[in-house]
Every structure is written in structure tokens, then in C-alpha cells.
């Protein structure tokens, strides 16, 4: 049985891969990050879709039994096209954890920190309409944050200045929660916490995506539940530096001190 392919525009999807490995330790994973073309969030929708479909085709050609699109931007732009091209495959996307935020803060103020592409797509508009009633939702694009994470710059004054500028309108509204709507962003959770303070809950969708992947594989009779799993990491840059950063991020602590409500 082939591996579970995990795809992202760069290194961000490693935050999802961590959850996948935690929930399915006997599985074999093939992670591919397209850092050569990152960030996706500032690209036109058609280009994001074309890149995502091309990488998915290559991963399926290599024997992947399932595909996890561990990128909010690529999911927003291409998940429908992926499922239309491979209707019999297990294909799972990710979306901002807005439903979780609304359930935990009914009637509250919720910021959504994401890429420009994720926030402009119809998929996000539908998510808003479906689950954000009675809440005040503030969209906050932050394309620069992807580039900070791609460089491995997860802390420091420059990052915090960028975050403070982007988050200023959200913080002025007194948010109850901040949804990290890009899989790169959890790796900067420490810097985000310093900017937003201790009382704003930080949420992401990686654990829910891992649960859905496990459920879909189990239903399809494709879940491996015994034996030792493995992780293979590849990147379109194919440089020692990006592969070393990927291995570092796979094991780096994120969301320190957060309760495990979404496990």
C-alpha cells in the first residue's frame, strides 16, 4: 500500500503532518513542499490551481494512496478541481478553524489571519455564511508571514513589527480568538502570542484535518494500524537548507501550553 502524500506550498504543511503522524503512527507519509513557488497566497487563483494539480498528479503517479492538501490557499483554489479529476481517490483539504472558534466563543469577536488568496476565495465566503452567525469576524491578510516561516525566521523584532501592523485592526476590536488560517502560521505562534497577549485564544485546523484523514482512510479500508511508520520529506527547492528547516519544523514545539481541546 502506498504512502499518504501531504502537499503544501512550502514548509507550512509540516504543522499538519505532525498531527497526521501523531494520530496515525503506523502510516507512511510522503511530504512535498513547493517552496520554489512559495508563497501561493499572492498568486492568481488559476496559477495556484495549476500548480496544485500538477503536484498532485506527480504524487499519485508515485503511488500515493491518498492526498492531504495541507495548505489553506491550495485547498481554497483547487480542492474542487482535484476531486473532479480523481473522484475515486481519498483527497482531504484544510480550512480555517472558524467553526471551532465560533463554537468556543459564541457571539464573540474572532480574527482570521490568513493569506490574501484564502480570504478572497468563494470557499471562505461559504465557510463564513455556514458557521459565523452572531459572531463578529475580522479578516486579516498577512502574506509576509509565510515568507518569514519559509526563511525559518520564527521570532524576532522584524516579525513582531510585521504582525503588530497587520493585526492592529483586529486587536483594536478586542478579539476573543484568532484563527491561524494558514498552515505556516502555527510555527510563528510564539511571536503571535507576544503580539496579541495572553487572553486571545489561538486556533488552527491541523488536528481536525488529521482526524478527517484517519476517518476517510478507515472507511476506505486503507488505514495502516500496525507496524512502524515513516516520513519522507521532499521540497521543490531540493536544497540542504530547506530540508534541514523542514526536519527542524517537524519536531519544533508549537502552541506551548495550549490545552488539547482539539486532539
Amino acid at each position: 500500500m502506498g504512502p499518504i502524500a501531504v502537499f503544501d506550498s512550502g514548509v507550512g504543511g509540516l504543522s499538519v503532518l505532525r498531527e497526521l503522524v501523531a494520530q496515525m503512527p503506523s502510516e507512511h507519509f510522503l511530504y512535498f513542499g513547493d517552496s520554489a513557488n512559495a508563497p501561493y497566497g499572492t498568486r492568481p487563483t488559476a496559477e495556484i490551481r495549476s500548480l496544485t494539480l500538477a503536484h498532485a498528479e506527480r504524487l499519485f503517479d508515485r503511488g500515493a494512496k491518498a492526498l492531504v492538501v495541507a495548505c489553506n490557499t491550495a485547498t481554497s483554489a483547487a480542492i474542487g478541481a482535484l476531486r473532479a479529476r480523481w473522484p475515486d481517490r481519498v483527497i482531504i483539504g484544510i480550512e480555517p478553524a472558524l467553526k471551532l472558534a465560533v463554537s468556543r466563543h459564541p457571539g464573540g469577536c474572532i480574527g482570521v489571519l490568513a493569506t490574501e488568496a484564502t480570504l478572497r476565495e468563494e470557499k471562505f465566503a461559504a465557510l463564513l455564511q455556514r458557521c459565523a452567525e452572531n459572531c463578529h469576524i475580522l479578516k486579516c491578510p498577512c502574506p509576509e508571514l509565510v515568507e518569514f516561516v519559509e526563511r525559518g525566521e520564527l521570532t524576532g523584532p522584524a516579525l513582531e513589527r510585521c504582525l503588530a501592523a497587520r493585526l492592529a485592526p483586529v486587536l483594536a476590536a478586542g478579539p476573543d480568538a484568532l484563527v491561524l488560517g494558514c498552515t505556516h502560521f502555527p510555527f510563528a505562534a510564539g511571536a503571535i502570542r507576544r503580539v496579541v497577549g495572553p487572553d486571545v485564544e489561538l486556533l488552527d485546523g491541523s488536528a481536525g484535518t488529521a482526524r478527517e484523514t484517519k476517518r476517510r482512510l478507515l472507511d476506505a479500508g486503507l488505514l495502516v494500524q500496525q507496524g512502524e511508520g515513516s516520513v519522507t520529506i521532499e521540497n521543490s527547492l531540493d536544497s540542504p537548507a530547506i530540508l534541514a528547516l523542514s526536519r527542524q519544523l517537524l519536531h519544533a514545539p508549537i502552541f506551548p501550553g495550549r490545552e488539547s481541546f482539539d486532539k
Side-chain angles (χ1 to χ4, degrees), residues 29 38 52 61 77 107 126 160 178 186 190 194 209 226 230 238-239 254:
F29 295 94
T52 303
D61 286 346
E160 291 184 25
L178 182 67
R194 284 189 287 277
T209 298
Q226 293 183 331
S230 66
D238 196 29
S239 71
I254 54 178

Side-chain angles (χ1 to χ4, degrees), residues 5 81 101 108 124 129 140 165 194 203:
F124 183 75
Q129 187 173 15
C140 184
R194 284 189 287 277
L203 301 167

